[in-house]
Amino acid sequence: MKLNPQFSLFLSLFLIVLSTPLCDSQPPESSPTLARELDAVLQDYAFRAFVHPKTGITYDGSVPSNLTGIQIAALRLRSGSFRKRGVTRYKEFQVPPGVIIQPYVERIVLVYHNLGNWSSFYYPLPGFTYLAPVLGLLAYDASNLSATDVPELDFVASDSPLLIKFTNLSPVSGAVMAQCVWFDLDGVPEFRDLVSRNTCSTYRRGHFSIVVNSTEILSPPGPGVFPSEHKKSSRVWKIVGGVIGGFVVLVLVALLVVWISRCKRSRKVAEMERRAEVGEALQMARVGDTQAPVALGIRTQPRLEDEYVA
Ligand SMILES: *[C@@H]1O[C@H](CO)[C@@H](O)[C@H](O)[C@H]1NC(C)=O
Ligand SMILES: *[C@@H]1O[C@H](CO)[C@@H](O)[C@H](O)[C@H]1NC(C)=O
Ligand SMILES: *[C@@H]1O[C@H](CO)[C@@H](O)[C@H](O)[C@H]1NC(C)=O
Ligand SMILES: *[C@@H]1O[C@H](CO)[C@@H](O)[C@H](O)[C@H]1NC(C)=O
């Protein structure tokens, strides 16, 4: 089928409109950046906890006053012994033997974060409720303990995973499905099953917590439980957006239908005109002595049989 360019343009515009999401419910783009800025600040403050650091001893750090509520710690280790023995207990983390640091450095610092009441500020997760604070475990090169903006080292558990045993989970009523959530440095959440009631596992660095679907603990909404103004207005905007979007699609569909039917009609008219012309020509055609009605589309002139005889 050959489409005229106007129609093709219209069709592609129509498809683009159809495939564009009407309302965007993604969290704001700035949140991973905020979390990454926090990682850098906490690296700096965790390293400051080392005054005369001993290898293998956990040092609790202190955070600037505008981050009160966050706990940090730092632990310096030789890469070789870290890989061979792991770390039996580092706050909530248990690191098994066989964890490989990439790229290789001689000594590492394991920095621990407990984001406390800042968890959902730095790792917002719409639709979910945190049952535990977000905990982080990141590795850095220990070669310069006064350095800032140190890049994180990657690590991967080659044998069994690291375990994270959360303490003091928020109690929730009813049977709700809790899940582990893992954020890599890009801030994108991934959900996993719990290992046990309060334990998550990981093969990689990052930030971890336990969450439940908010709708499961909020329902049924009792009297006096109203969504916040912000939520209410965002819901209103979603509805308004949906209505406007739906209307636009409706108008486009209507336009498309009108266009197609007009296109068909004009094609039909053209066809009728063509037929009319051909019909007139046929009426003129004489076959022998008789004027024969001739069907459209027959190219060869009809002849009477006796012409052959004659
Ligand atoms: C905390 O204060 C420091 C200055 O002391 C500032 O640079 C930083 O942006 C503040 N952080 C937050 C999360 O407000
Ligand atoms: C967390 O709690 C501390 C006090 O313990 C408070 O200063 C801080 O503002 C709180 N942070 C948030 C995000 O509410
Ligand atoms: C939460 O659960 C409800 C119903 O079980 C489901 O419709 C909704 O998509 C879930 N929310 C998330 C964020 O997974
Ligand atoms: C460690 O880092 C600090 C801050 O970036 C820098 O001033 C210092 O020269 C570095 N020391 C070494 C030994 O590289």
Side-chain angles (χ1 to χ4, degrees):
M1 193 167 92
K2 207 176 155 207
L3 298 175
N4 79 34
Q6 240 178 319
F7 180 71
S8 313
L9 185 71
F10 187 86
L11 190 68
S12 38
L13 215 64
F14 180 68
L15 289 178
I16 288 168
V17 168
L18 272 192
S19 60
T20 306
L22 292 180
C23 41
D24 196 2
S25 58
Q26 291 295 309
E29 280 295 320
S30 62
S31 50
T33 325
L34 262 186
R36 292 298 289 145
E37 281 170 11
L38 180 70
D39 287 345
V41 170
L42 296 184
Q43 175 270 316
D44 179 14
Y45 280 82
F47 274 38
R48 292 185 199 185
F50 293 130
V51 183
H52 300 291
K54 286 191 183 136
T55 299
I57 304 288
T58 298
Y59 293 87
D60 288 329
S62 50
V63 292
S65 59
N66 57 3
L67 292 175
T68 302
I70 294 179
Q71 293 166 41
I72 54 172
L75 171 64
R76 193 170 66 135
L77 296 165
R78 288 186 152 273
S79 235
S81 75
F82 174 69
R83 179 169 178 177
K84 204 149 106 196
R85 288 194 278 275
V87 183
T88 318
R89 189 145 200 93
Y90 181 38
K91 305 289 183 181
E92 288 90 343
F93 290 88
Q94 290 175 19
V95 184
V99 178
I100 301 162
I101 296 282
Q102 290 163 330
Y104 176 83
V105 293
E106 198 180 336
R107 283 192 177 83
I108 60 163
V109 177
L110 284 180
V111 170
Y112 162 88
H113 302 165
N114 180 334
L115 299 192
N117 60 341
W118 294 86
S119 297
S120 51
F121 178 79
Y122 283 105
Y123 291 91
L125 210 49
F128 293 93
T129 301
Y130 284 111
L131 298 188
V134 169
L135 305 180
L137 187 66
L138 300 174
Y140 297 91
D141 186 349
S143 62
N144 183 355
L145 294 180
S146 47
T148 54
D149 287 326
V150 183
E152 286 81 9
L153 301 171
D154 205 355
F155 63 76
V156 57
S158 63
D159 192 1
S160 51
L162 291 79
L163 296 179
I164 310 137
K165 284 200 164 143
F166 292 87
T167 52
N168 304 325
L169 287 189
S170 309
V172 286
S173 54
V176 290
M177 275 289 292
Q179 287 172 292
C180 295
V181 62
W182 167 54
F183 300 92
D184 199 353
L185 298 188
D186 58 10
V188 176
E190 273 190 34
F191 298 92
R192 308 261 172 86
D193 290 338
L194 289 158
V195 174
S196 70
R197 196 188 59 79
N198 67 339
T199 307
C200 294
S201 65
T202 181
Y203 286 87
R204 309 292 299 272
R205 67 182 174 193
H207 289 83
F208 311 89
S209 191
I210 296 180
V211 293
V212 289
N213 182 327
S214 303
T215 61
E216 287 178 32
I217 52 170
L218 286 181
S219 63
V225 179
F226 295 112
S228 68
E229 281 307 312
H230 171 73
K231 273 188 184 158
K232 231 192 251 173
S233 72
S234 93
R235 194 173 298 166
V236 166
W237 277 114
K238 267 184 195 168
I239 291 169
V240 169
V243 168
I244 292 174
F247 182 72
V248 167
V249 168
L250 214 68
V251 166
L252 283 177
V253 169
L255 280 177
L256 186 65
V257 167
V258 167
W259 199 94
I260 287 175
S261 69
R262 270 179 61 183
C263 181
K264 267 191 180 164
R265 199 184 309 151
S266 69
R267 221 184 270 165
K268 209 186 249 171
V269 168
E271 178 80 344
M272 276 159 62
E273 281 169 3
R274 199 173 65 83
R275 277 187 197 210
E277 278 166 22
V278 172
E280 255 170 15
L282 283 177
Q283 266 172 12
M284 293 302 186
R286 284 178 168 270
V287 184
D289 280 339
T290 41
Q291 205 166 8
V294 182
L296 182 78
I298 295 176
R299 293 282 163 85
T300 50
Q301 285 290 314
R303 295 163 186 222
L304 291 178
E305 279 175 358
D306 55 6
E307 275 186 333
Y308 289 107
V309 180

